[in-house]
Amino acid sequence: MNIEGLDYNTQREKLLMPEYGREIQKMVDHAVSLPTKEERQLCAETIIRLMESKNPQVQDSANAEQALWDHLYLMSRKQLDIDWPFDVSEAEKILSKPEPLEHPTGGARMRHYGRLIEELFEKLKTMPEGEERDELVRLTANQMKRNLAAWGHGSMDDEKVADDIARFTDGKIQIDLSSFRFESIAPKSNGKKKK
């Protein structure tokens, strides 16, 4: 098979707005090269009508016409000299990428417990002994066990929870497994219904 002379998209110039296709881009490039402003204006208006038919989802937005003219401005690499019916000075914002979001764990050391459990560890370290702290220990330990079950860790046993709560509270909270009772946790189902 002779592939010489074949034209592949990977070898062509990258499109600024691929949703409109290479033919529209060629039309925009042609419009930029036209000698008179009147010809460029007429050509631009024709291209906008074609862009509307090529990308109909743009029409659903509130400022559809503004968006099309912004796209044309960007596709012309800001070189199309016409009387723009809209202000295209903000068009660059279309191509800007948003800042990356912070990961929701917020820097949690042990993701399977989560940031809120780590905040509870810090609270438990400073709480005085008493019924309120005992209740918070009970709630925290049970939530830790549920989190381990939800994450599918094989070691969701009581000793793991007791060890972790002691370690993360710097030894201030010690659970006596002979007297402490965890809530029963239903085993995680695999989503299949029994027949």
Side-chain angles (χ1 to χ4, degrees), residues 11 19 21 23-24 28 38 43 46 56 63 69 72 91 94 114 124 149 164 166 183:
Q11 297 168 337
E19 59 266 33
E23 295 305 315
I24 298 281
V28 173
E38 291 77 26
C43 191
T46 304
N63 55 352
W69 286 99
L72 178 64
I94 294 170
L124 287 170
D164 284 349
E183 296 171 4

Side-chain angles (χ1 to χ4, degrees), residues 119-179:
E119 287 178 16
L120 287 173
F121 293 153
E122 295 303 314
K123 174 106 174 131
L124 287 170
K125 285 182 194 179
T126 60
M127 283 183 80
E129 289 186 32
E131 284 184 31
E132 189 178 351
R133 184 176 90 169
D134 292 343
E135 181 63 14
L136 189 57
V137 167
R138 185 186 71 73
L139 292 170
T140 303
N142 281 300
Q143 186 60 47
M144 289 169 67
K145 192 165 179 179
R146 280 191 293 277
N147 288 1
L148 286 173
W151 272 68
H153 287 249
S155 58
M156 63 172 228
D157 64 332
D158 300 346
E159 286 181 28
K160 167 92 170 127
V161 172
D163 288 345
D164 284 349
I165 204 167
R167 181 167 24 123
F168 291 114
T169 60
D170 300 329
K172 293 199 172 40
I173 305 296
Q174 299 289 327
I175 295 178
D176 181 11
L177 291 176
S178 62
S179 62

Side-chain angles (χ1 to χ4, degrees), residues 38 71 85 93 115-116 128 154 169 189 193:
E38 291 77 26
H71 294 174
K93 291 182 180 178
R115 184 180 45 82
L116 294 177
T169 60
S189 70
K193 293 183 179 181

